[in-house]
Amino acid sequence: MPKHKASPGYRWAREHVLKSSAATAAWMFQVKLEESQWYSANQHLAYQTKRLGELLRHAKTNVPFYATAYKSADIDVSRDPDPATWRRIPLLTRAALQGNKAALTAARVPPDHGKSIAVASSGSTGTPVEALATELTGTWNRALTLRAQLWALKRFDYRLAVIRRYPNKVADYPAGRSLPAWENEITLPVVSGPVFSLAATTPTTEQVEWLNRHRPEVLLTYPSIFAGLLDAAASGELKLPGLRRILTISEMLADEVRVAARRTLGVEIFDAYSANETGSIALQCPEGHGYHVQSEALVVEVLHDDGRPCGPGETGRVVVTLLHNYALPLIRYEIGDFATVGRQCRCGRGLPVLTRIIGRQRNMLIGPKGERSRPALGWKYIKGMAPITQGQFIQHTIEKLEAKLVVARPLVEAEEARVRELLTSRMPQFSEVVFTYVEELPRSEGGKFEDFISLVGKPSPTADKGAARS
């Protein structure tokens, strides 16, 4: 293994680590992660194969769901799995996880994994997924959170502002919530600066006033919220002269938002791909070239519809296996997202690369031949054509698109015509574009916002109150 010097962020954090038991455990994991990120692809594969063999043996012995599934598929777990054996293991779908939680729960968990802890997805695109984790899983998640911040920031004594989902009255405008350290907000085991929090449901104008008041050096939020703030920054209403970094979570990050952040604020975005039931999946490379899969904690497969692994440049379904969760093992768990596989990163890390995180199938444009792609909406151009503050686009059929808009006033026919022309020039399959005007486009229970939804092959949603025009 080649020798690498510790990163500046690692060296800074080493001098500022907190002296609590939980922090110490996460820090010790991070010490190993600082080295293992430089392992070769073959070293990561050898490590994962050994961990997978241990996990499969535990699952077959202690988890009724897997004991039955592996017997039916004639899976031999006495040896660590080779690629052919691994591909015979059935995928675990979200529906199967939702309907078989009891059968997927281990009858016994090794004592050194600690207590079992309930976790759940946000249910942003359907029924929440309930699962279990362990204290060991939590330590891994804290260590990977620390890695993300080390890669993104190098140090943590900055003023942090967070705009995300909170329970009612926890971080409501105008006061929001103020805490003396990041530890209370994102569980970092290091000394840090103060953190200011605000509920994601706060209107953009009030978010702008709140940010101008607190003048953060780092902003953590959803891409859709930050995209709304960019307009205020471009007009001069939002003034953040000390801003050093934007951290985005939970939603798909469009390339145009990255470019706008650089152009408008002179600041780079660091993005993270995660899920509540899995923890961190992939983190943006510190050098900015794609997302590195967190191979020390999980295995990520990207598969074609027929189950074949995708190669570099190919897009497929994301399938995740957690290496250290023995309470409710997620083995070949089809999380519901799509991603594009990348080549080995020139940064020198041996961690696999995803070049794009595309999101759920319901957030992908379905083409005339059933092909899936990320829709090219041209949102920044649309907003310049009329007094539009927010929009959501719904594909009802292969040929029909609904533009659901929040506007200062309904668009006149000439404005609708310009928006329709732009949409059909970017997505020629749509012969029909209808406009619906609504007072608001609410976020999900998990705080997420979907700017594009495809209902092709799915039942139509309940119509919102509003006037529709074709």
Side-chain angles (χ1 to χ4, degrees):
M1 184 190 73
K3 297 288 185 181
H4 290 270
K5 294 182 180 179
S7 67
Y10 175 84
R11 293 196 298 272
W12 185 91
R14 182 179 57 199
E15 300 300 321
H16 295 80
V17 65
L18 297 172
K19 305 303 181 183
S20 69
S21 58
T24 301
W27 175 250
M28 293 306 296
F29 276 67
Q30 175 55 37
V31 170
K32 298 176 183 178
L33 290 173
E34 177 69 13
E35 178 180 329
S36 64
Q37 64 183 317
W38 304 110
Y39 288 176
S40 69
N42 285 337
Q43 286 176 302
H44 280 290
L45 178 61
Y47 168 82
Q48 290 184 328
T49 300
K50 182 175 178 60
R51 299 285 85 78
L52 289 172
E54 296 167 350
L55 177 65
L56 293 181
R57 288 186 281 276
H58 167 80
K60 188 170 184 179
T61 302
N62 296 286
V63 182
F65 181 91
Y66 291 119
T68 301
Y70 295 171
K71 183 176 181 180
S72 300
D74 192 26
I75 304 297
D76 179 11
V77 301
S78 63
R79 297 178 297 176
D80 296 340
D82 56 31
T85 300
W86 183 251
R87 284 195 290 271
R88 293 209 323 274
I89 295 175
L91 299 184
L92 175 66
T93 65
R94 289 172 66 88
L97 175 54
Q98 289 169 330
N100 296 278
K101 181 183 176 184
L104 282 160
T105 300
R108 185 189 70 85
V109 176
D112 57 352
H113 285 232
K115 298 178 181 178
S116 295
I117 304 163
V119 296
S121 72
S122 63
S124 59
T125 58
T127 305
V129 172
E130 296 181 353
L132 294 173
T134 63
E135 291 177 311
L136 176 63
T137 315
T139 300
W140 271 102
N141 286 337
R142 284 190 292 274
L144 292 175
T145 297
L146 178 56
R147 169 186 269 179
Q149 307 310 323
L150 287 167
W151 283 7
L153 299 171
K154 310 297 185 289
R155 57 190 298 168
F156 312 102
D157 53 349
Y158 299 124
R159 292 169 63 86
L160 170 68
V162 180
I163 305 177
R164 64 188 304 177
R165 174 182 177 265
Y166 292 98
N168 289 338
K169 300 183 180 180
V170 168
D172 290 355
Y173 182 84
R177 182 176 69 171
S178 300
L179 296 170
W182 297 19
E183 165 70 10
N184 304 95
E185 178 62 51
I186 52 179
T187 322
L188 285 178
V190 292
V191 175
S192 61
V195 56
F196 308 96
S197 308
L198 186 67
T201 52
T202 306
T204 302
T205 54
E206 294 177 351
Q207 292 176 16
V208 169
E209 188 282 325
W210 182 84
L211 286 167
N212 283 335
R213 188 171 5 122
H214 288 291
R215 303 174 72 83
E217 296 168 286
V218 178
L219 171 62
L220 184 153
T221 191
Y222 307 126
S224 59
I225 284 182
F226 180 67
L229 293 170
L230 279 171
D231 289 338
S235 69
E237 296 174 59
L238 178 61
K239 298 178 176 65
L240 297 176
L243 191 65
R244 295 170 177 267
R245 196 70 147 168
I246 302 126
L247 312 178
T248 52
I249 57 171
S250 295
E251 300 171 349
M252 294 180 294
L253 175 64
D255 291 339
E256 65 184 45
V257 176
R258 284 189 187 277
V259 173
R262 195 177 299 127
R263 182 183 63 246
T264 305
L265 293 169
V267 178
E268 297 293 332
I269 292 176
F270 182 91
D271 191 38
Y273 174 38
S274 64
N276 283 9
E277 66 267 40
T278 65
S280 294
I281 298 174
L283 303 174
Q284 185 178 316
C285 176
E287 279 69 51
H289 309 297
Y291 297 75
H292 283 297
V293 173
Q294 301 303 285
S295 292
E296 299 94 340
L298 46 76
V299 175
V300 170
E301 303 171 77
V302 181
L303 304 178
H304 290 288
D305 286 342
D306 61 6
R308 291 180 299 110
C310 292
E314 295 181 327
T315 298
R317 298 173 293 159
V318 176
V319 174
V320 176
T321 301
L322 301 185
L323 295 176
H324 308 290
N325 185 358
Y326 279 35
L328 195 156
L330 296 179
I331 300 174
R332 304 202 80 197
Y333 172 49
E334 188 175 358
I335 198 167
D337 291 338
F338 286 76
T340 303
V341 177
R343 300 184 185 279
Q344 185 171 352
C345 186
R346 62 177 179 266
C347 73
R349 293 173 177 82
L351 301 166
V353 174
L354 304 176
T355 56
R356 297 176 70 204
I357 312 299
I358 300 176
R360 305 274 180 201
Q361 178 169 333
R362 78 185 240 124
N363 302 127
M364 299 179 73
L365 173 67
I366 307 301
K369 297 181 180 179
E371 66 273 23
R372 294 183 290 258
S373 63
R374 192 168 180 170
L377 298 171
W379 179 237
K380 66 177 180 180
Y381 302 110
I382 291 172
K383 288 194 296 183
M385 294 178 172
I388 303 170
T389 58
Q390 192 179 21
Q392 185 178 69
F393 299 86
I394 301 175
Q395 180 185 17
H396 289 276
T397 68
I398 296 298
E399 299 85 12
K400 180 180 178 180
L401 179 71
E402 177 187 6
K404 188 179 292 187
L405 305 175
V406 178
V407 293
R409 57 162 173 77
L411 276 59
V412 300
E413 290 188 9
E415 291 168 332
E416 287 186 350
R418 287 197 294 271
V419 173
R420 184 181 292 109
E421 181 180 2
L422 175 64
L423 290 169
T424 54
S425 69
R426 287 175 164 259
M427 298 174 285
Q429 71 189 64
F430 293 117
S431 59
E432 182 181 7
V433 178
V434 300
F435 293 85
T436 303
Y437 300 109
V438 296
E439 292 185 0
E440 64 175 341
L441 290 167
R443 294 177 175 272
S444 71
E445 288 294 323
K448 299 180 184 179
F449 178 75
E450 300 173 276
D451 62 356
F452 183 89
I453 300 172
S454 177
L455 300 177
V456 174
K458 299 180 176 66
S460 297
T462 302
D464 288 311
K465 293 181 179 180
R469 292 172 59 180
S470 59

